[in-house]
Amino acid sequence: MTAKTESSLFKFFKNTIIYFAGTILSRIISFLLLPLYTSYINPEDYGYYDLSITYVTIVTFSLFFDIWVTTMRFMYEKNEDEWKWKVSQSGFTIFACSFLLLSVIGIIVYLFFDIQYLWLIICYALTITLTNMFLYIARGYKKNVEYTVSGVLNTFIYILSNILMIVILKMDFSSLYISSIFGHLIQLIYLEYKVRIVKNLFKTKVDFGFIKNMFLYSLPLSINSISYWLLTSFNKIIVQNVLSIEYNGYYAIGYKFGSALSLITNSFTLAWQDLSFSRSADDKSNGQYYSLACDKYLSFLGIGACILIPSFNILFDFFIHESYYPAKATIPMFIIVAILSSYSTFIGNIFYAIKDTKSIFYSMIVSSMVNLITCYPLIKILGINGANIAIAFSFIINILIRAKILNKRINFKLNNKGVIGYTILVIITSIVFSTDNIVINLVWLFFNIIIAFLTLRNDIKTLLYELKRKLRALK
């Protein structure tokens, strides 16, 4: 491994730790609130809440074009303050138009439709989109520490608000919306105070030509985001229609366990964006570099899944209220979906780095269509696990398409042996989970921990070496 690769690895892990402390640690703490939710909120109400967030997601995907990702991508191109001001201003101009449209749509729906807690749902949608924009601009300015602290503040407010409203004030599931809104508002105030995002918007003249270029770059991402929603969240609506809103509650809890893998891997993905976006799109070593990175990421996903699955079998009965017990059998498939989703996203960031959003769009359209075709019959036959099987198969198609395109573009290569090996290991782990025997799952858990150490030991050594070298340089 070259010195340049080692330095990149150190930077990657350093940024991973920063993002873990900010966003991912916050979400893990929220995950630990599941005993509170499942003890005080029944499956029907939790299913309604989760489904409403699903609808918010598709609306925001449709209206905002992933403009926050585009803004950060363009901000990374140059280090000059003037350039970053121009990009953030242009991105925020597009965002403001979408934000206004979302507000108008929200008011119209509120006036003509009787939907439970609609005004809270609208406020949640507005605050989450504004927070996303602020967070990506902060990353564009490379204010990673401020990004981290804001996430911690958000979580702190969210937890305190939920405990106060659910446990002490005995409020219903509306507290979930209110807590999120409060947390986002505090996060926005902190980011503006530390990064001066709004203040910097007025430091340069408006360039409508540049705004147009950013919009055209983002436009395919809007359709891509809608396709992603069709691939990952549309099945929740089918679950409600085929089964019931109660099963949406079970689905939501099973999804929380599956997303536990994503919570950890998302910190790697955020750090990966920093590295991949910083590389030149024409760098001749991109193929080898990205292939190695994806191979390392696959190892982490496979090992992480095989540790989490038996762990969740042991913890579920102590962690989740008995009214949500049907969710337990769905956990392995949710973990498998999380592996495929995370790996697809990781590969997808390579296309952002080489500025090829059309291929992302194409692969997402095809895979989302596969999910639309297969989800209904599979849910009808297999229930919630049918929904996950449809998503898993669709993500496999997505990954294969992206890998083939990247192979032609930059000579990217999948590690086929690694894919087969981890597939077998995850299948065996899922079978162990299905025994529902604590002793067997505990033994398998320790076995996988040993496998993890043996597999990742060289990466750990490299990381420790780089850490020592950096510390010596500081002295």
Side-chain angles (χ1 to χ4, degrees):
M1 187 178 292
T2 65
K4 183 177 180 180
T5 303
E6 289 180 348
S7 180
S8 295
L9 181 65
F10 177 80
K11 182 181 178 182
F12 175 72
F13 277 106
K14 182 190 73 173
N15 288 343
T16 296
I17 292 171
I18 291 174
Y19 291 131
F20 179 86
T23 302
I24 314 307
L25 181 60
S26 302
R27 294 181 183 177
I28 289 176
I29 294 173
S30 298
F31 174 81
L32 295 177
L33 289 175
L34 282 180
L36 175 69
Y37 299 154
T38 57
S39 296
Y40 287 88
I41 301 173
N42 62 56
E44 292 87 353
D45 286 345
Y46 198 78
Y48 178 88
Y49 166 78
D50 186 69
L51 197 60
S52 69
I53 300 304
T54 299
Y55 284 116
V56 166
T57 304
I58 182 57
V59 171
T60 55
F61 277 172
S62 303
L63 295 179
F64 287 89
F65 317 106
D66 259 2
I67 189 59
W68 31 76
V69 176
T70 298
T71 302
M72 186 186 75
R73 175 67 184 92
F74 275 74
M75 289 178 74
Y76 268 44
E77 289 189 352
K78 299 179 183 178
N79 290 321
E80 293 84 357
D81 288 339
E82 292 78 8
W83 171 258
K84 293 183 181 294
W85 295 340
K86 178 180 179 178
V87 174
S88 61
Q89 181 201 70
S90 300
F92 214 95
T93 301
I94 299 170
F95 171 85
C97 294
S98 299
F99 189 85
L100 179 60
L101 183 58
L102 175 61
S103 303
V104 172
I105 292 173
I107 293 172
I108 293 173
V109 173
Y110 183 79
L111 292 175
F112 292 97
F113 295 91
D114 183 20
I115 299 175
Q116 188 178 19
Y117 297 130
L118 178 59
W119 70 277
L120 287 176
I121 296 171
I122 294 170
C123 290
Y124 171 86
L126 293 172
T127 55
I128 187 66
T129 53
L130 191 57
T131 301
N132 278 338
M133 193 64 187
F134 270 55
L135 286 170
Y136 275 87
I137 290 177
R139 290 177 61 196
Y141 283 119
K142 298 187 178 180
K143 299 291 185 179
N144 291 342
V145 174
E146 288 78 5
Y147 175 97
T148 297
V149 174
S150 74
V152 173
L153 285 174
N154 186 335
T155 304
F156 181 73
I157 297 299
Y158 180 79
I159 291 173
L160 286 184
S161 300
N162 266 317
I163 293 174
L164 173 64
M165 289 185 280
I166 296 176
V167 179
I168 299 176
L169 299 179
K170 306 298 182 182
M171 291 176 61
D172 63 6
F173 70 97
S174 62
S175 60
L176 300 178
Y177 300 111
I178 298 171
S179 298
S180 295
I181 293 167
F182 283 165
H184 292 145
L185 290 174
I186 295 299
Q187 190 169 20
L188 289 167
I189 292 170
Y190 173 81
L191 285 172
E192 176 56 29
Y193 175 73
K194 298 297 290 186
V195 186
R196 303 297 185 187
I197 293 171
V198 175
K199 183 179 180 180
N200 290 337
L201 297 178
F202 301 96
K203 290 185 175 181
T204 185
K205 294 181 180 180
V206 178
D207 186 339
F208 290 102
F210 189 72
I211 292 173
K212 179 182 177 181
N213 290 337
M214 287 188 67
F215 177 75
L216 292 175
Y217 178 87
S218 293
L219 195 55
L221 301 183
S222 176
I223 303 175
N224 173 71
S225 295
I226 295 171
S227 300
Y228 186 80
W229 181 87
L230 290 172
L231 176 56
T232 59
S233 299
F234 176 76
N235 296 22
K236 294 180 182 180
I237 297 174
I238 304 301
V239 166
Q240 179 199 6
N241 292 330
V242 174
L243 304 174
S244 70
I245 193 71
E246 178 183 347
Y247 279 84
N248 274 99
Y250 303 144
Y251 190 102
I253 295 302
Y255 178 84
K256 289 287 186 182
F257 280 91
S259 64
L261 178 65
S262 300
L263 294 180
I264 300 171
T265 59
N266 277 353
S267 56
F268 282 83
T269 301
L270 292 172
W272 174 236
Q273 283 180 338
D274 284 351
L275 279 182
S276 60
F277 286 10
S278 299
R279 288 179 66 88
S280 169
D282 299 320
D283 194 319
K284 293 182 179 180
S285 65
N286 277 342
Q288 181 181 1
Y289 178 82
Y290 291 137
S291 298
L292 176 62
C294 288
D295 185 30
K296 297 292 182 184
Y297 191 62
L298 176 64
S299 298
F300 180 81
L301 286 174
I303 292 296
C306 291
I307 290 175
L308 285 179
I309 291 174
S311 299
F312 287 154
N313 182 281
I314 297 167
L315 294 175
F316 188 92
D317 294 342
F318 305 100
F319 201 63
I320 302 298
H321 191 268
E322 61 184 11
S323 61
Y324 286 84
Y325 187 78
K328 185 175 184 178
T330 68
I331 290 176
M333 275 309 305
F334 272 111
I335 294 287
I336 290 171
V337 167
I339 293 174
L340 296 169
S341 172
S342 298
Y343 194 68
S344 170
T345 301
F346 200 77
I347 294 179
N349 280 315
I350 300 174
F351 289 98
Y352 285 111
I354 63 177
K355 292 187 175 182
D356 180 13
T357 55
K358 291 181 180 179
S359 293
I360 296 179
F361 165 73
Y362 167 72
S363 62
M364 194 58 70
I365 286 290
V366 173
S367 53
S368 63
M369 290 301 103
V370 171
N371 182 57
L372 288 177
I373 294 169
T374 59
C375 69
Y376 184 87
L378 286 174
I379 291 172
K380 195 79 173 175
I381 298 170
L382 301 172
I384 294 176
N385 272 333
N388 283 324
I389 291 171
I391 296 173
F393 180 67
S394 301
F395 266 121
I396 291 172
I397 299 297
N398 179 279
I399 291 169
L400 291 175
I401 292 173
R402 291 182 174 185
K404 185 175 181 179
I405 294 172
L406 286 174
N407 178 259
K408 291 182 178 179
R409 288 286 306 275
I410 59 173
N411 198 31
F412 172 85
K413 295 180 180 178
L414 280 177
N415 182 352
N416 294 324
K417 290 183 179 179
V419 170
I420 294 172
Y422 286 117
T423 299
I424 294 172
L425 191 60
V426 170
I427 291 174
I428 294 173
T429 303
S430 299
I431 294 172
V432 170
F433 180 95
S434 67
T435 65
D436 208 17
N437 184 296
I438 291 181
V439 175
I440 294 175
N441 277 274
L442 192 60
V443 171
W444 189 250
L445 171 62
F446 282 117
F447 171 77
N448 283 320
I449 290 174
I450 294 172
I451 293 295
F453 176 77
L454 294 175
T455 303
L456 302 175
R457 66 184 185 278
N458 289 333
D459 296 315
I460 295 172
K461 289 179 181 178
T462 300
L463 179 62
L464 292 175
Y465 170 79
E466 279 291 299
L467 182 61
K468 291 178 181 178
R469 190 171 65 84
K470 294 288 183 180
L471 290 174
R472 284 197 298 267
L474 291 175
K475 293 179 182 180

